Amino acid sequence: MKTFTKYITNEQHYSDVLSLVKNVKRYLWIGTADIKDVYVEQGKETVPFLKLLSDLIARGVEIRLIHAKEPGPAFRADFDKYPLLVSRLERVLCPRAHFKMMLFDLETAYVGSANLTGAGIGMKSSNRRNFECGILTNEPDLVNGAMDQFDKVWMGSFCQKCGRKEFCGDRIK
């Protein structure tokens, strides 16, 4: 496979990054500080991003999600509509997580500024979006660096010295 690294801004987060989610075959790792009830196009419909995640899990995709705080009531209401998310979405709440990254089949990485929110990476119109930037790449050194950081947080490598355990409702260690 030919390697690429692409700088992306604003609407490209939706067209270039979220579109990759639909084509994941085995693994999807998502790291975000903030997560909200994002909607995406699926065929001719607009559906919650959570439905897309549930559909991926039904296809056998393993999904890991690290986020920094509990999402709001709209997200939780949609989350409860998809029982596979409750039983098979691997999720860790880490109040220190501030990175924004997605890893697609452990071969392609997005690293940037966009949270998993409508204004960050979702379908908001151009005059309602945040000004975002990021790198989308399959360059092995960059992908491996992102995977290593994600995995260290996932495995709790920083938990003992974190200093914010009182805010961690989903303690790793």
Side-chain angles (χ1 to χ4, degrees):
M1 176 182 358
K2 184 177 178 184
T3 61
F4 70 88
T5 298
K6 180 179 180 181
Y7 183 80
I8 56 175
T9 63
N10 303 331
E11 289 88 0
Q12 291 171 307
H13 281 84
Y14 183 79
S15 62
D16 293 11
V17 178
L18 279 190
S19 66
L20 290 174
V21 172
K22 298 172 186 175
N23 298 316
V24 169
K25 301 213 178 350
R26 189 75 183 123
Y27 301 102
L28 175 62
W29 292 2
I30 303 169
T32 186
D34 193 10
I35 185 167
K36 293 187 178 171
D37 200 24
V38 176
Y39 278 71
V40 297
E41 292 175 349
Q42 192 175 46
K44 294 182 180 186
E45 294 182 294
T46 300
V47 299
F49 182 68
L50 293 168
K51 180 184 183 326
L52 177 58
L53 295 183
S54 181
D55 292 348
L56 289 172
I57 289 171
R59 280 193 352 228
V61 174
E62 296 177 27
I63 302 174
R64 289 183 172 177
L65 169 64
I66 298 174
H67 57 103
K69 61 183 182 178
E70 286 295 341
F75 178 95
R76 289 193 304 270
D78 271 346
F79 188 89
D80 291 341
K81 293 177 186 174
Y82 305 103
L84 281 179
L85 298 178
V86 174
S87 63
R88 294 187 27 212
L89 175 68
E90 297 181 73
R91 186 189 66 84
V92 168
L93 189 136
C94 174
R96 286 241 188 247
H98 199 262
F99 51 58
K100 289 83 174 175
M101 71 171 76
M102 289 190 182
L103 293 147
F104 307 94
D105 289 319
L106 310 180
E107 296 173 348
T108 302
Y110 161 77
V111 179
S113 64
N115 281 304
L116 195 54
T117 65
I121 203 166
M123 290 181 62
K124 294 264 183 171
S125 68
S126 60
N127 60 347
R128 297 186 70 203
R129 296 187 59 80
N130 296 336
F131 301 120
E132 305 287 2
C133 66
I135 301 293
L136 184 63
T137 186
N138 68 352
E139 198 282 307
D141 287 342
L142 295 174
V143 173
N144 289 336
M147 283 177 21
D148 184 57
Q149 182 183 20
F150 188 103
D151 203 41
K152 283 180 178 172
V153 173
W154 185 263
M155 298 302 291
S157 297
F158 306 109
C159 289
Q160 289 200 337
K161 297 180 182 180
C162 162
R164 295 192 48 89
K165 289 182 182 174
E166 68 272 18
F167 301 103
C168 187
D170 194 22
R171 196 167 295 167
I172 301 167
K173 285 192 171 194

